[in-house]
Structure formats: structure tokens, C-alpha cells
Amino acid sequence: MKKYSRPVMFLFLSVLTVSIGSCKKEDRSEYARSTRACVSMAADGLLAVSDERAHRFNGKVEENTALCRGGDKAARYRDVPWMDWANYWGTGDASSKGPDKTSLDHLSPTGRGIDGALLDLEYQRMELIEFNLFDNYTYKEYVKGIEGRPGDVIKVWDEMRLPADHPNYQDVGGDGEQVCDGSLIRNRTVTGVCNDIMNPLMGSTNTLFARNVQFETSFPMLGETELVRNRHGDRLGLLKPDPQLISRRLFTRQQSDAAACGNGYGSESSGEAECDYIKAPFFNVLAAFWIQFMNHDWFSHLQDGHNQKEYMKVGCDSDEAEQLGCRPDDMMEKAYVAEDSAPGRFTYKGESYLDRAPKTFRNTNTAWWDASQIYGYDEDSRKRVKRDPQDTAKLLMTPRGDLVGAGDAQGYLPLLLDSDPMNPAWAGQAATGFPDNWTIGMSFYHNVFAREHNAFVESFREHAKASPEADSGLRDPARPGVVIRNADVSDDELFEVTRLVIAAEIAKIHTIEWTTQLLYNEPLYRGMNANWGGLLDADANQAVQKALAKVVARFSESDSDKANKWYSIFASGPGILGLGSKKKGWDLSNPKDVNGGVNHFGAPFNFPEEFITVYRLHPLLPDALENRVLDGDPNKIISKTPIVSSFRGKASEVMTSTGLANTALSMGRQRLGLLTLGNHPNFLQNLKMKRLETETQEIDVAALDLIRDRERGVPRFNEFRRQYGLKQLTSFNDFVDTRLATGSAERTRQEEYVLGMREVYGQHVCDASKIISVAQANEDGSFINDCLGHPDGTTVDNIEDLDAVVGWLAEGPRPHGFAISETQFVVFIINASRRLYSDRFFTSSYRPEFYTKFGIDWVNNNGPDGKVMEKGEPNGHEQQVSTMKRVLWRTIPELRGELDTVVNVFDPWARDLGEYYSLAWKPRPGADDDDAFKNE
Ligand code: HEM
């Protein structure tokens, strides 16, 4: 019998009650069927969130549910492996709205489509929290619990103590209880220690990456279990199938004029490059570099741009591969490994478990969203960060070349000095915390946010000058009772407050601007805004926060599973930002208040290896940048220069000649590359790296992406999906979007790549007696076997061997407006939420005691002087002028006119937004002459 999940039931019933009421009006037949389906769905009740990994929701609903939320179309596509909500009413553009086209409210069919989608997403998040946390330090405790307490409510771990040789060991309590206090809890520390004050080591530089997949299923190449051997036979190796062959056959961007593109390096005579690429109409090049900028904050496997000194071969091992243009003599440094001795085993309730993955790796960055790419993540990287000697609360910015615009007066980052600790390959680059893989794109964001840092400092000083006696809100935890007046805030304090503000602004931009453009549809707009700031008004927020605290307290000892589920679902009410910060009587001297809002769901926070896999977004980059000038005719593309011509130190020369304003205009108007097969930048397949001690001094970064994932034991695509609670595929044919017309250009392209995958990965005759996975069950409850539902002895695709990156790039069927695939998306659902839930400075320490009152207002209102509202109601929403737009207003005031019609800075700036999540590539009024719209 079905079990009912109370939190899910609670949300669902409210959705359903209103849904049934709305079933009336036109489009009788489908409408009537849908209405009846809503009633049956209500009678059936809702499936509980599963307690068993193999019986997860998988994004698939019952027929009545699909009919109720999306009519016939949603019901028709239930057979495909992809998530059902993408076919609900209202989840696409205007044409996706339900029979009652005008209404979006919960009573309308469109409303129940959108609400249904949000409910499905919440289901997935709850299951991901339940089934996908595998920490390399503490897994045994997670499974077995401690002293009778279940593992997933454990909040403090011995493994997260600072070791005896750590410089702060004594400060946090030495070998006694370790609790951070005083100066260690005031700010975001350089190495990220003491974010969680009870677990000083968590998330800090050089701690181990976690996993989101069962340890036993990682490292399929090792063939250690019967399931893995059944799944892959002897077909896998570090260079098997050949990564360079895969890159050349499945990743290469085809060029109509190869000479004009010159492998992305352009023509030597003109310095220009004319390169084709497949473009995403609703996302711009600023968005591509934004995510690289974020990655540099969150994680890195490298140490100052290096891997191990030892080199390895990287494929291109056949004539066939070589004919496609790869290089057999390329070599690359092996990845660093933290631990590769055999992991331990333990038994619990008759089942045997590994206590960590067979190999582990270090995150050489802080895992926190702390703007460490700007401010540094260890002693060396902090030395690269230059403060202004005239005002040490500020970052040093200096004039650049002949640039004299209003923004240019705010200056540019100085260059790295010979005396700075760094990789010699970085000479000539701007001085900053994280300088690896630097181009004009990184130069852009680092300069913008350094200016924003200084803009905050200046505004704070003006504010302090106007009211010097007023309480700044800031407190020193060592003297919590002492008021710090505005006039008393020291330069050092202001520097660190500003870092907190900048990190919070960046997190906000990413959550509710970048992500809502990456996933451009209504459910995700609502979902992401709810994640950050909540669905409810301020009073309701407080009420929900109180309820949340009570529910968690009630359940956490007796039924941890329920507590975690309630927590996740309730947090969609008030949002994650500030959870636990509004507690009555909140007291800086009470560690339980300061830390009380974080929730790690039983596993210390760090990113999983699988998160890095889905961020290998190299196809986002075009090969060439389309340059424009602001004070000429912004509609004209004046030149096209290869991105590589701004690589590393050359970025400084390019920035000096173009300036931030022109760079912003060019990248703001240019579309980025679609994440799909056949769209990797040519320059990254042929990247010249002079520092390599190899014959070619070149590397194919697209092939390297596959090799690194294999070195780090990321499961192959189908098992990856099963592990994350998505339905497996049964053949390469499943990658084709059958909603597209047969013979359409896009469907034909997808079908061609199906043949390509079959060619490279091959096929085999299947053996139904071999079980290949227990992470998902068939409809009849049996486990998946080698035949994937085909009759025994059938020749089946080697889809189990497909590298995860190849698979997610191949996904044709995607929800509307998704620049990424659904497989990548589920990885984000869990990790993007955890990145906020686990961070004290976004939850219970999001308070004036740390940020100042002025700082909290700045983050909430997107700058000084209160909220500023956007014109009209874009996509049906009244909204504030976005944080990023206001950052650009402040740091590059020259852009004010250009940004007038821009709502989301990551949407191509000259595109007409059209109606409700339109993806049309049409110029807005005033940009009809824009070169980017010609011949399209
Ligand atoms: C011109 C721009 C870029 C260059 C030259 C570049 C180059 C590289 C190289 C050489 C590596 C391999 C490092 C190694 O494992 O040895 C790498 C890794 C990576 N790149 Fe890029 N990349 C660029 C842009 C981007 C962008 C836009 C993204 C988007 C998110 C991105 C995401 C990644 C990720 C996630 C990794 C893995 C990092 C790790 O293992 O810690 N890169 N890139």
C-alpha cells in the first residue's frame, strides 16, 4: 500500500484543491479529461517519498497526474526517460499555457502545471538529500549513527576538528571540545575554517571532495564489484574508449570556413577569427564567463594551475582518430590524488559498505561561496590580493592606459608582481586570488567586483560621515556587548565586512539572475526566487521559520528522515537566506544562535566530484569575441578576435585597449554556445600550453575533461542518472527529442550524433542474466540487467559506457529554456541548495553583527538608497532592478543607456524579450540594425 508523505501531502493538497476548482471552460474534450484526471489523482493520493533507493520518484508521475497538470501532451510523453514536468502547462513559452491562456494563478490549468512542476522538483530535492550524500570523512557515522542517534541528524564530527599542526588548533580548543570564537568567527577566514563554528575544518582549503554517488559505484574502471563487471565488461580504461577520438568525432565544432577560424586562433595576418558555433538565443557570453568566475570560487583540483609532475598519454591511438585531427604525441600531467589505499569496509544491518571512495581528491579552494577567487583561499593566494595603501579597506585599483570614461576613473586591478607567489605562466595578469585559465572574461569580472568592493567602502564612509554616532550594527564577538558606532568601524573591519557583502551579492546574482536565465521558464523563476528569498512576505517568513524550528526539534531525535524532509520543504517558504537569523533573543555570545541556522543533513559540506563533472561547460565559449564600441554604433560588430588572443597576460593588454565598458557591451550582446555535442571551441581542442614539458605543448581540453572524470571515478552516464534518481536510457536513440518534427534540422542533427555515439562506444550482445545495477528497479520490481529491457541476446548499445559528459551533452529533450540538460540539473538541485543551507553567513549569521546594518540593506536592496523597481512586469513579475544591473550601473556608469531595456544582464542585451519566456532571436526596438540579427 502507498504511504503518504505528510509534508508533500500538505503542499499537494493546497495545489490540488485549487486545481479541481478551475476545471471548466473551453477546449472541452482535453479539458474534461484533465478535470477527471485531477479528481482521480486526488483520490489516489500522493506517493510518499521513497525509503528505497531503487524505487525513487525519477521525475515520472502517474497518468492522471500528467493529464491533470499538462493535458494530453504530458500524458503522451510519459514513456520517455525524461522528467515529466517539462510537458506540464505553463512550463514553456506562451504556447505552453493551458486552455485558460490568460491566467497564471493557482486556479488555472497553467497554474496547476507550474505548481505541479514545483512539487516534482521538491520531491526530487527531498530524495536527493535522502539518497545522495556520501562524505569521504564521515560516511560510516552517517550510516550507523552515533550512540543510538541516527547519522543524518549528526551535526558535529570529530573529523571536522582542526588537526594538531593547524595554526589555529589551540585557538579553537586544542584537544578538548573545539568551538571557534572571537576573531575566528567574525569574518570569512582566508582558508574557510570556522564557517561552521562547531566544525572548524569543514569546507576549508584542501579538504576532501565528497561524492553524490554510492562509493561502490564510483571508479567503474577498477571493476571491483560484480555489478560493475556486468555493466561494463572489460570495455573501460583511462584511455578506453579513446578520449581524443570522442573529442574529434563527437565534440568538434564544424566550420564552414576552417581557414578563417584557424582552429580558433584566427588568421595570422589579420588577427581576426571567423568561427561558427551553435548559439543559445537566451544566454550571453557574460553568462559563460560568469560561471567560470563562480567555479574559481567553489573548487579546484589543481595547485596554482599545476597537476602532478608526472606526465601521461592522452589518447589519439588509431589512424581513424588521427585522421580526424587529434595528436598522438600530446601528454598531460596526471591528476593529484589525496588517498588511493584500499578503503575500509563496515557492515550495518547485514549490508557491507565502503567507508570512503577508492580514491579521494582535495578541493584546493575553499568550498564556501566566499568570493575566494577575489580575496584568496590560502596564505599565498591572499598575498596576491593588493589593498589600497591610501585606504586599506579598499582594493588597490590603478588607472589603465588612456581610458578616461566615468567607470575608468574607478581604476583597474594592478598586475601581479614578480615577487608575488605564483605560477610563472601568469606573469602580466591582474593581481587576484585565483588567476588560473585567465582571459578577458575573468579580467572583466574581477575588475567589476573590485570596483564594487570599493563602491561599497565609499558608500559606507559617506553613510558613516552623515551619522558617525549611529550604531553600525557590527559587533566584535570577543566583546559582544560593546556597540561599534559607524565612526568606529576600522579599515580592517570594513574590508572584511565588504568581503561578506560582495560574497552575498555574488550568491544572490547567481541564484536568482544567472540561474533563472540558465533555466529560463516560470517554475524555475519561482523556484530559485523561493530558494533565495522565500515565497512569502516578511511576517509569514517569520512564522514559517518558527514552525520550521519546532518541527525540526520535534523530529530530529526520533525521526531524522522526517526532520530533513520537513526542513527542505519548509525552507521553500521563507527561503534559505537568513534561516535562523531572526530567532527571538538571538545572541552573539551564544554559539547555538550564531551557528543555529545551518543544516548539513548529516554530511559535512563539500562539493562532490560529480558536481565538477557537470560544470565542464567548455562549449559555452565561442571561439571568437564579437567586438563593439559603446561610443560608436553599438549595433556594429567591428571585429572578431579569438578568445585565445586574450589568454593569460594578454588579457591585460586587451583590457587596456578596450576598457570595461566596451568589453561589457560586446559580451553582453553576443550569444554563448549551446551545451550540446559538436559544439566544443576549436581553440580548447588545440590549446597551446607553453609550460608543458611535452613534444606538442598542446592539449585537447575537451578530451582532458573525459580523462579527468575517469581518473576521479565518476560513474558513466546511465549509472550516474540512476544514482541521482533519474530514469536510465535503454539505447542511444533515447537521446533524440521525439517532440521535434521528423526531418527537422535539429532532429536530424541529434540522430546523426546517435550514430556517432554508436560508432565510438559500440554495441554488444546482451545477457539478461547479468544484473548491472541495484540503484533503480524495473516497473515489475526486478533489478536492471544487461539487456536494459530488450530481449535476451539482443544487440544493445554500449550506453552503460558513455562518459557522463558525453551523455549530458547529447540530451536532446530538455525542459523549455534549459541551457543545461536535466542530468546536470539534478546535480545542481541538491548542491546549489546545500551551498546555502550549510553556510552560516547565509543563514544564522546573516545579521548586522557581521555585515553591519548598512551591509544587510545593501544586499537586500541591491545597493544603497532602498529598492529600485524595474519597469513593467517582465514575464508577468513585478521585480527589483537586478543586483547585477545595479552593480554595472555603479561600476561602469557608461552602460546606463545600453542597460535601459535589459532586465536580466545574462540575456543577450539587444534581444526582444517578447512574451512569456520567448526564446525568439529578434532585435528589440532600436537594435534592428544589430549585426548579430542579420542572416539569422
Ligand atoms: C578560455 C577559457 C578557458 C580555458 C582556457 C580553460 C581551460 C581549462 C583547462 C586547461 C582545464 C583542465 C585542468 C586540468 O584538469 O588539468 C580546465 C578545467 C575545467 N574547466 Fe575550463 N577553461 C576555460 C573556461 C571554462 C569555462 C567557461 C568553464 C565553465 C564553467 C570551465 C570549467 C572548467 C571546469 C569545471 C574544469 C575542471 C576543474 C577542476 O578539475 O577543478 N572552464 N579548463
Side-chain angles (χ1 to χ4, degrees):
M1 189 168 140
K2 273 176 189 165
K3 273 200 298 174
Y4 292 78
S5 148
R6 289 178 60 199
V8 171
M9 241 356 225
F10 162 79
L11 264 198
F12 173 71
L13 284 177
S14 45
V15 172
L16 186 63
T17 318
V18 290
S19 301
I20 293 171
S22 69
C23 295
K24 46 188 182 198
K25 292 200 183 156
E26 327 78 35
D27 199 12
R28 289 279 163 207
S29 55
E30 184 180 18
Y31 208 75
R33 273 196 305 283
S34 168
T35 307
R36 280 198 300 276
C38 292
V39 175
S40 308
M41 175 177 83
D44 285 354
L46 258 199
L47 204 65
V49 176
S50 176
D51 290 332
E52 288 173 62
R53 181 179 303 282
H55 296 280
R56 287 168 77 160
F57 161 58
N58 293 331
K60 305 302 291 179
V61 295
E62 300 288 319
E63 184 171 10
N64 281 329
T65 311
L67 257 176
C68 170
R69 294 171 180 172
D72 292 342
K73 181 180 170 205
R76 191 162 61 244
Y77 286 105
R78 282 180 56 251
D79 285 349
V80 297
W82 315 103
M83 298 183 300
D84 283 330
W85 69 260
N87 298 311
Y88 296 169
W89 282 315
T91 62
D93 62 13
S95 67
S96 73
K97 288 187 180 171
D100 181 0
K101 293 278 180 209
T102 52
S103 176
L104 275 190
D105 69 31
H106 302 283
L107 294 168
S108 71
T110 306
R112 65 180 188 247
I114 294 166
D115 288 344
L118 284 166
L119 197 58
D120 286 4
L121 294 172
E122 192 53 54
Y123 249 106
Q124 283 183 306
R125 180 159 66 164
M126 289 190 286
E127 287 195 347
L128 287 160
I129 289 172
E130 185 168 347
F131 293 118
N132 289 86
L133 300 181
F134 299 90
D135 173 57
N136 274 308
Y137 292 98
T138 60
Y139 186 59
K140 191 167 163 185
E141 287 141 79
Y142 183 75
V143 174
K144 295 179 103 165
I146 299 180
E147 292 163 8
R149 296 175 64 227
D152 53 3
V153 295
I154 297 173
K155 292 183 185 307
V156 182
W157 299 268
D158 282 350
E159 292 82 351
M160 293 296 116
R161 295 166 61 88
L162 294 186
D165 59 354
H166 192 282
N168 297 118
Y169 179 68
Q170 293 302 344
D171 305 329
V172 299
D175 60 3
E177 190 191 8
Q178 290 198 348
V179 181
C180 306
D181 61 9
S183 60
L184 280 174
I185 69 165
R186 280 200 94 171
N187 317 305
R188 292 190 175 278
T189 57
V190 174
T191 59
V193 296
C194 291
N195 185 310
D196 183 314
I197 65 182
M198 318 290 184
N199 296 288
L201 193 67
M202 191 196 296
S204 64
T205 304
N206 285 325
T207 47
L208 299 180
F209 282 107
R211 308 295 308 213
N212 273 168
V213 299
Q214 290 170 286
F215 295 140
E216 289 76 6
T217 205
S218 63
F219 296 89
M221 256 161 47
L222 300 178
E224 285 193 338
T225 66
E226 193 181 343
L227 287 176
V228 169
R229 289 190 293 275
N230 285 349
R231 195 184 308 145
H232 301 291
D234 60 357
R235 299 187 297 267
L236 301 189
L238 185 63
L239 302 179
K240 221 165 87 173
D242 187 333
Q244 287 203 60
L245 172 66
I246 296 170
S247 167
R248 297 289 159 174
R249 179 68 181 85
L250 300 176
F251 290 170
T252 300
R253 224 174 234 173
Q254 299 303 331
Q255 297 300 332
S256 53
D257 184 348
C261 181
N263 277 340
Y265 282 74
S267 128
E268 269 184 35
S269 53
S270 67
E272 297 221 10
E274 189 68 58
C275 300
D276 299 324
Y277 65 109
I278 307 171
K279 302 165 181 121
F282 55 95
F283 221 22
N284 62 19
V285 171
L286 280 178
F289 284 119
W290 172 268
I291 192 58
Q292 190 186 14
F293 182 57
M294 288 303 93
N295 283 188
H296 293 176
D297 180 345
W298 301 330
F299 58 78
S300 174
H301 283 92
L302 282 69
Q303 290 175 14
D304 276 354
H306 284 285
N307 282 291
Q308 287 189 52
K309 278 272 168 258
E310 201 183 332
Y311 283 88
M312 61 182 171
K313 285 183 83 70
V314 287
C316 190
D317 204 18
S318 63
D319 293 345
E320 181 202 358
E322 234 180 302
Q323 268 162 19
L324 292 172
C326 65
R327 294 173 298 271
D329 296 329
D330 278 9
M331 306 269 280
M332 190 54 184
E333 299 155 331
K334 290 184 178 170
Y336 285 116
V337 181
E339 184 64 73
D340 59 2
S341 62
R345 280 203 164 272
F346 65 94
T347 309
Y348 182 63
K349 293 190 175 166
E351 262 190 69
S352 164
Y353 297 84
L354 291 181
D355 64 2
R356 64 159 169 78
K359 295 182 190 179
T360 58
F361 307 89
R362 291 191 191 284
N363 185 350
T364 58
N365 214 324
T366 68
W368 305 114
W369 215 342
D370 56 0
S372 54
Q373 78 277 46
I374 300 173
Y375 299 100
Y377 46 85
D378 62 10
E379 216 178 293
D380 277 359
S381 54
R382 184 42 90 86
K383 280 190 194 140
R384 294 193 280 263
V385 180
K386 309 279 180 276
R387 287 165 71 168
D388 186 344
Q390 309 297 319
D391 178 350
T392 55
K394 285 185 170 177
L395 289 165
L396 179 61
M397 298 293 273
T398 55
R400 194 56 93 69
D402 302 329
L403 298 167
V404 290
D408 299 321
Q410 296 175 33
Y412 288 81
L413 285 164
L415 304 188
L416 287 163
L417 303 171
D418 289 345
S419 54
D420 282 330
M422 63 162 168
N423 182 330
W426 300 338
Q429 291 182 201
T432 194
F434 192 102
D436 202 21
N437 289 331
W438 191 261
T439 61
I440 190 74
M442 290 307 91
S443 169
F444 175 78
Y445 281 115
H446 280 266
N447 275 300
V448 164
F449 282 94
R451 284 187 186 176
E452 175 71 356
H453 176 109
N454 289 355
F456 179 83
V457 171
E458 275 174 23
S459 286
F460 184 87
R461 292 210 188 284
E462 273 168 33
H463 163 77
K465 209 164 155 195
S467 48
E469 304 296 323
D471 178 359
S472 69
L474 190 68
R475 296 289 182 274
D476 180 350
R479 282 164 297 161
V482 179
V483 170
I484 301 180
R485 300 171 314 155
N486 281 329
D488 301 333
V489 176
S490 72
D491 289 354
D492 274 351
E493 283 168 341
L494 186 53
F495 179 86
E496 296 297 350
V497 163
T498 310
R499 176 182 184 173
L500 277 167
V501 168
I502 296 293
E505 277 190 300
I506 285 177
K508 185 174 182 185
I509 291 167
H510 185 84
T511 307
I512 61 176
E513 296 177 49
W514 187 84
T515 307
T516 55
Q517 200 63 35
L518 173 90
L519 313 168
Y520 191 56
N521 62 41
E522 180 66 11
L524 268 299
Y525 178 85
R526 292 193 196 180
M528 295 316 298
N529 277 282
N531 226 12
W532 179 258
L535 288 164
L536 314 165
D537 63 30
D539 289 344
N541 274 353
Q542 289 206 21
V544 177
Q545 285 209 31
K546 270 191 202 152
L548 182 62
K550 280 193 189 140
V551 167
V552 174
R554 199 176 122 217
F555 283 132
S556 51
E557 292 301 315
S558 60
D559 188 341
S560 59
D561 184 35
K562 251 187 207 144
N564 281 342
K565 283 173 191 163
W566 275 94
Y567 197 94
S568 161
I569 205 155
F570 261 109
S572 357
I576 302 171
L577 185 74
L579 273 178
S581 67
K582 304 220 171 71
K583 182 173 171 265
K584 211 168 162 198
W586 188 100
D587 181 357
L588 181 58
S589 51
N590 181 354
K592 288 198 173 134
D593 286 352
V594 177
N595 216 54
V598 299
N599 194 339
H600 313 303
F601 302 103
F605 174 69
N606 208 317
F607 292 105
E609 284 300 337
E610 292 71 26
F611 188 71
I612 286 76
T613 303
V614 296
Y615 271 112
R616 297 188 179 278
L617 304 179
H618 291 122
L620 293 179
L621 295 170
D623 281 282
L625 289 175
E626 300 173 351
N627 302 309
R628 300 166 187 259
V629 280
L630 195 62
D631 57 6
D633 178 355
N635 288 332
K636 291 273 154 289
I637 296 171
I638 56 159
S639 61
K640 294 186 182 179
T641 47
I643 285 191
V644 268
S645 61
S646 71
F647 196 33
R648 301 209 159 129
K650 284 184 261 171
S652 309
E653 295 158 30
V654 176
M655 189 54 88
T656 304
S657 60
T658 56
L660 274 180
N662 291 329
T663 307
L665 171 72
S666 304
M667 299 199 299
R669 287 213 183 185
Q670 186 177 355
R671 285 163 289 176
L672 54 61
L674 203 64
L675 289 166
T676 186
L677 291 176
N679 206 24
H680 265 78
N682 290 181
F683 83 90
L684 283 180
Q685 286 180 314
N686 302 289
L687 191 66
K688 297 187 194 344
M689 293 178 90
K690 288 275 172 285
R691 72 172 179 81
L692 295 180
E693 292 160 16
T694 64
E695 204 172 310
T696 60
Q697 294 188 310
E698 270 183 273
I699 193 76
D700 177 342
V701 177
L704 189 60
D705 277 335
L706 305 176
I707 297 174
R708 293 295 187 224
D709 272 5
R710 293 177 187 179
E711 283 181 289
R712 296 184 184 127
V714 174
R716 300 298 167 102
F717 180 71
N718 236 11
E719 182 63 15
F720 190 101
R721 279 180 65 86
R722 291 189 284 254
Q723 287 286 324
Y724 275 98
L726 289 171
K727 261 197 120 58
Q728 63 172 6
L729 274 56
T730 60
S731 130
F732 293 134
N733 295 343
D734 286 337
F735 282 118
V736 176
D737 189 351
T738 49
R739 295 170 301 183
L740 297 171
T742 313
S744 64
E746 176 53 20
R747 187 160 170 170
T748 307
R749 195 182 78 85
Q750 292 176 11
E751 284 163 353
E752 280 165 11
Y753 278 107
V754 165
L755 299 181
M757 284 184 274
R758 200 162 282 146
E759 210 176 284
V760 175
Y761 285 91
Q763 296 185 309
H764 71 279
V765 175
C766 74
D767 177 349
S769 70
K770 289 181 172 170
I771 302 295
I772 62 165
S773 176
V774 292
Q776 195 168 97
N778 294 308
E779 294 285 306
D780 64 4
S782 62
F783 286 127
I784 313 271
N785 67 48
D786 184 41
C787 291
L788 297 167
H790 303 284
D792 193 18
T794 312
T795 300
V796 295
D797 288 334
N798 289 341
I799 191 161
E800 293 301 327
D801 303 347
L802 198 67
D803 293 272
V805 170
V806 181
W808 59 250
L809 282 170
E811 287 179 38
R814 296 178 189 192
H816 174 87
F818 261 44
I820 53 168
S821 64
E822 68 167 44
T823 307
Q824 290 168 288
F825 174 62
V826 289
V827 182
F828 299 155
I829 297 181
I830 178 170
N831 293 295
S833 307
R834 265 168 66 79
R835 191 166 59 195
L836 296 172
Y837 279 129
S838 281
D839 191 323
R840 171 167 69 86
F841 290 108
F842 294 136
T843 52
S844 39
S845 293
Y846 183 66
R847 288 187 56 98
E849 286 82 348
F850 299 98
Y851 283 78
T852 70
K853 291 177 191 164
F854 189 76
I856 292 276
D857 286 347
W858 184 285
V859 178
N860 290 342
N861 299 334
N862 300 337
D865 310 324
K867 289 190 184 356
V868 182
M869 297 310 288
E870 193 54 81
K871 292 186 287 259
E873 294 191 356
N875 289 329
H877 295 286
E878 203 181 40
Q879 47 190 288
Q880 281 191 59
V881 173
S882 72
T883 313
M884 190 64 202
K885 185 160 157 180
R886 297 207 41 205
V887 167
L888 292 184
W889 280 359
R890 278 188 288 275
T891 57
I892 318 180
E894 299 93 314
L895 291 174
R896 193 85 189 211
E898 171 70 20
L899 290 175
D900 196 40
T901 53
V902 173
V903 177
N904 187 313
V905 167
F906 302 110
D907 200 338
W909 290 2
R911 185 174 90 95
D912 191 304
L913 287 192
E915 207 192 332
Y916 194 74
Y917 300 97
S918 162
L919 305 183
W921 184 239
K922 265 177 39 193
R924 62 162 166 76
D928 311 82
D929 285 343
D930 187 315
D931 288 339
F933 294 90
K934 294 189 179 144
N935 309 319
E936 294 271 344

